[in-house]
Amino acid sequence: MIGSEIRDQAALWMARARDPRFSDWDGLTEWLEADPAHNLAYEAAFAGHDLAGVLGEAGSGPSAAMPVSLPTRSPRWRQHGLLGGGLLGTAAAAAAIFAMVAPYGAATTDMVAETRPGEHRLIRLRDGSEIALNGNSRVVLDRSNERTARLERGEAMFTVVHDETRPFTVDAGGARMVDLGTKFDVVRTARGSEVSVAEGAVLYDPNGAAVRLGPGRLLRRVDGSELVEVSQTDPAAIGAWRTGRLVYRDAPLWRVADDLSRATGTKIVVDRNATNLPFTGAIVVAGVQREALARRLAAVLDVTVARRGEELYLKARATR
Amino acid sequence: MTGSGNPERNIVALTTAGYDRRIDVHPDLEMVASGLNAVLLANREALLRFLRARGAGEDAEDVLQDLWLKVERLEAPGPIADPRAYLFRMADNLMHDRVRASMRRVNREQAWSETRHDTDGRDDTPSAEHLLAARQRLLQVERALATLGERTQSIFRRFRLDGISQSRIAQEEGISLSAVEKHLQRAYRVVAALADDEANDAPASRSHTP
């Protein structure tokens, strides 16, 4: 029979060791070595840990009304989401907000591909997968595993040759996704990360929320935030930048300016009062001269365009 | 190890214009132990000690071999913040899986000798029965946790189900880390006792089934 004190100690060690940040494994070893009964009690606590998992299963009463695949969130958290971006309008929208994993440490960086503003590059991997890099972008591939990419800056379109046994993983500013047979686009914007799926599917945050994104799904995550937003977009427009076409539906002006800067190599700055003006339409940037760009943007975006040195400065029109 | 200092020196030649010219990327892969396996080698003795203490006994070397193979087969493990802790966690889980597997085997053999329903040795208990058992387990766990304070319960759920780290729970609740540990210790004590009861009851109750 195992004494009560040992069971108490075992429960404490179990509580500690199940924490993702636990590191005192030598301390645990010493405690286990002290008495064989310690390991038995530890195993019992481990079985208790397993058993408690039923609390998270579907249909487990009013206390856990969330589906199994979604982590349950505290009311405080949900409220934060409501205040955070005003993203929640309907119950359906609520289902599109998920918890995020904490960003993890730096990878062992091996292969770096970088582009200047206005420059496109295509990287072809040995397995046949392709990464199209937009202007002013930087992607890092893990030398020991080419199917692990990190988008550090800019935008990249991934056309992945699917391999069930070797998932293709992309990290963008701590947002992590795994391909499920796919063509998808990832952007590091000034404010966070976006992933949109053109074909197939992507699993976002595979070890946490595990959100499956099908064709036309767009997922946005603000850097440092716990929440992500999922919306619908036109799958045909995804990756259109590769042909010099930028297509938008209700996109904020800052985002359009972001893309234009990348695509043209001319830095485009948006006035504070105009950053969130919505834009819907298509802009063709291929072959446009710098001089013509300002004129064209003024017409297309319905803003006033001023030159400030090398930059273009967009301002809302005074009268409409 | 693969790190060769400045990553910029490994920039691969890529096409700069258009998509008609494609250059294949062929990094000169070095056939050396991956980072994680190197950490495993460096911590071999400590891991063996842990495995022995976790009940592996003389099999410790074999289990370590299993661990090595598991590490080799890891698919895109991604960056790991604390590789040493990661390996110990894997070892811990490996031992737990072994205990569970052997317990399942014992239960199955008992069920087989007692009921003889299952002709090929697999557990083909009707799903309705499974469902009922799962529901009962859930009720038991909820009832057991209900003996604890509300705060202990919610901290345990947050930790066990939502996977929130203890330091973060401490922050959210505005209490110390050791206070969070105390709450979780109480909860683990309760669910451990319940699991113990279940392990002791299961074979006995089975013997009553025709």
Side-chain angles (χ1 to χ4, degrees), chain A residues 4 7-8 15 17 19 21 33 39 42-43 49-50 72 77 110 121 126 130 138 143 165, chain B residues 8 10 15 22 28-29 49 54 75 89 92 96 100 160 162 166-168 185 188-189 196:
Chain A
S4 166
R7 289 184 188 280
D8 278 342
D19 188 77
R21 299 193 184 163
E33 280 174 339
N39 186 47
Y42 183 79
E43 262 306 329
H49 175 81
D50 289 346
T72 49
W77 226 4
D110 286 324
R121 287 187 177 186
R126 283 178 302 176
E130 287 178 351
R138 179 184 165 98
R143 183 185 291 269
T165 61
Chain B
E8 300 286 346
N10 290 322
T15 55
R22 290 179 170 175
D28 49 325
L29 278 174
R49 242 183 90 184
R54 276 290 276 117
E75 291 157 4
R89 185 173 300 285
D92 196 25
H96 181 52
R100 274 199 310 195
R160 174 64 183 88
D162 299 349
Q166 289 172 22
S167 60
R168 179 141 165 207
Q185 180 186 21
Y188 271 112
R189 185 75 158 79
D196 239 11

Side-chain angles (χ1 to χ4, degrees), chain A residues 29-30 33, chain B residues 44-54:
Chain A
T29 304
E30 271 174 35
E33 280 174 339
Chain B
R44 199 187 127 81
E45 287 312 314
L47 282 163
L48 278 174
R49 242 183 90 184
F50 175 71
L51 288 170
R52 281 191 207 105
R54 276 290 276 117

Side-chain angles (χ1 to χ4, degrees), chain A residues 144-163:
Chain A
S144 60
N145 179 6
E146 271 182 36
R147 289 175 74 88
T148 303
R150 192 168 72 247
L151 182 69
E152 291 191 339
R153 190 175 74 236
E155 182 167 19
M157 179 94 178
F158 295 83
T159 305
V160 172
V161 174
H162 187 59
D163 180 349

Side-chain angles (χ1 to χ4, degrees), chain A residues 151 154-156 172 185-189 192-195 255 259 262:
Chain A
L151 182 69
E155 182 167 19
D185 192 83
V186 183
V187 198
R188 290 283 300 139
T189 67
S193 300
E194 293 181 8
V195 55
R255 181 57 216 284
D259 290 349
R262 245 196 309 275

Side-chain angles (χ1 to χ4, degrees), chain B residues 65-206:
Chain B
Q65 188 63 28
D66 284 356
L67 188 65
W68 175 273
L69 292 175
K70 263 199 156 61
V71 168
E72 291 220 303
R73 280 197 299 260
L74 270 186
E75 291 157 4
I80 294 162
D82 183 350
R84 187 179 191 270
Y86 186 86
L87 289 170
F88 272 93
R89 185 173 300 285
M90 278 182 83
D92 196 25
N93 290 334
L94 211 55
M95 287 312 299
H96 181 52
D97 289 346
R98 287 185 140 219
V99 171
R100 274 199 310 195
S102 71
M103 270 171 58
R104 265 200 302 275
R105 204 158 45 236
V106 170
N107 283 342
R108 215 160 40 221
E109 276 157 15
Q110 280 185 354
W112 160 244
S113 62
E114 284 155 11
T115 66
R116 293 186 181 278
H117 279 330
D118 188 2
T119 48
D120 57 5
R122 277 187 293 109
D123 184 8
D124 64 349
T125 323
S127 60
E129 198 179 306
H130 271 309
L131 222 61
L132 196 69
R135 200 159 298 156
Q136 261 168 358
R137 261 204 303 279
L138 174 66
L139 279 174
Q140 280 174 339
V141 174
E142 283 186 333
R143 211 174 296 145
L145 286 178
T147 62
L148 300 165
E150 210 142 281
R151 199 168 196 191
T152 303
Q153 283 189 60
S154 82
I155 287 175
F156 182 62
R157 279 174 189 274
R158 206 91 175 88
F159 178 71
R160 174 64 183 88
L161 303 179
D162 299 349
I164 308 299
S165 74
Q166 289 172 22
S167 60
R168 179 141 165 207
I169 294 174
Q171 239 171 27
E172 285 180 359
E173 298 282 331
I175 57 178
S176 71
L177 200 59
S178 70
V180 174
E181 277 184 353
K182 287 265 157 54
H183 281 290
L184 291 174
Q185 180 186 21
R186 278 198 290 277
Y188 271 112
R189 185 75 158 79
V190 163
V191 292
L194 199 62
D196 239 11
D197 289 349
E198 199 180 59
N200 295 332
D201 284 357
S205 68
R206 267 194 188 276

Side-chain angles (χ1 to χ4, degrees), chain A:
Chain A
M1 203 53 214
I2 301 168
S4 166
E5 200 180 318
I6 292 180
R7 289 184 188 280
D8 278 342
Q9 292 169 1
L12 185 57
W13 277 112
M14 181 52 51
R16 286 178 183 158
R18 300 278 71 75
D19 188 77
R21 299 193 184 163
F22 177 73
S23 62
D24 186 19
W25 293 94
D26 295 322
L28 174 57
T29 304
E30 271 174 35
W31 177 75
L32 288 168
E33 280 174 339
D35 183 343
H38 288 182
N39 186 47
L40 294 179
Y42 183 79
E43 262 306 329
F46 214 143
H49 175 81
D50 289 346
L51 185 61
V54 295
L55 291 169
E57 280 167 21
S60 59
S63 51
M66 298 292 291
V68 201
S69 56
L70 305 182
T72 49
R73 288 150 294 155
S74 71
R76 192 187 311 176
W77 226 4
R78 202 168 296 148
Q79 201 175 33
H80 181 74
L82 275 164
L83 300 171
L87 302 168
L88 293 173
T90 63
I97 311 276
F98 300 94
M100 292 285 305
V101 282
Y104 42 84
T108 46
T109 59
D110 286 324
M111 294 186 289
V112 180
E114 217 163 352
T115 50
R116 291 186 299 273
E119 178 188 22
H120 286 179
R121 287 187 177 186
L122 188 83
I123 305 163
R124 189 159 180 218
L125 303 178
R126 283 178 302 176
D127 63 5
S129 297
E130 287 178 351
I131 305 172
L133 259 194
N134 201 345
N136 192 19
S137 302
R138 179 184 165 98
V139 74
V140 178
L141 295 170
D142 189 341
R143 183 185 291 269
S144 60
N145 179 6
E146 271 182 36
R147 289 175 74 88
T148 303
R150 192 168 72 247
L151 182 69
E152 291 191 339
R153 190 175 74 236
E155 182 167 19
M157 179 94 178
F158 295 83
T159 305
V160 172
V161 174
H162 187 59
D163 180 349
E164 201 67 61
T165 61
R166 293 178 62 222
F168 197 101
T169 310
V170 180
D171 177 82
R176 194 167 192 216
M177 50 231 111
V178 172
D179 105 279
L180 302 170
T182 336
K183 219 169 164 175
F184 60 102
D185 192 83
V186 183
V187 198
R188 290 283 300 139
T189 67
R191 308 183 178 193
S193 300
E194 293 181 8
V195 55
S196 45
V197 180
E199 285 171 24
V202 162
L203 191 63
Y204 174 78
D205 187 10
N207 300 320
V211 186
R212 193 179 191 280
L213 304 168
R217 298 304 273 179
L218 166 69
L219 181 143
R220 273 197 197 96
R221 179 206 187 218
V222 176
D223 278 355
S225 162
E226 301 288 342
L227 302 167
V228 296
E229 179 201 358
V230 178
S231 57
Q232 189 68 32
T233 183
D234 177 12
I238 296 168
W241 57 263
R242 290 172 302 163
T243 57
R245 229 159 31 90
L246 303 173
V247 188
Y248 299 101
R249 185 175 300 156
D250 284 332
L253 199 56
W254 68 265
R255 181 57 216 284
V256 180
D258 223 34
D259 290 349
L260 285 167
S261 302
R262 245 196 309 275
T264 61
T266 299
K267 185 148 192 232
I268 294 160
V269 183
V270 183
D271 182 69
R272 206 152 45 86
N273 298 326
T275 51
N276 287 319
L277 287 180
F279 172 70
T280 299
I283 306 171
V284 177
V285 286
V288 176
Q289 299 299 309
R290 191 179 279 238
E291 286 69 33
L293 187 66
R295 250 196 342 266
R296 187 178 294 195
L297 289 183
V300 172
L301 297 173
D302 194 34
V303 290
T304 58
V305 179
R307 265 172 227 276
R308 289 207 313 202
E310 290 295 291
E311 297 175 1
L312 292 180
Y313 188 76
L314 308 186
K315 262 173 82 173
R317 285 190 200 279
T319 52
R320 283 175 164 263

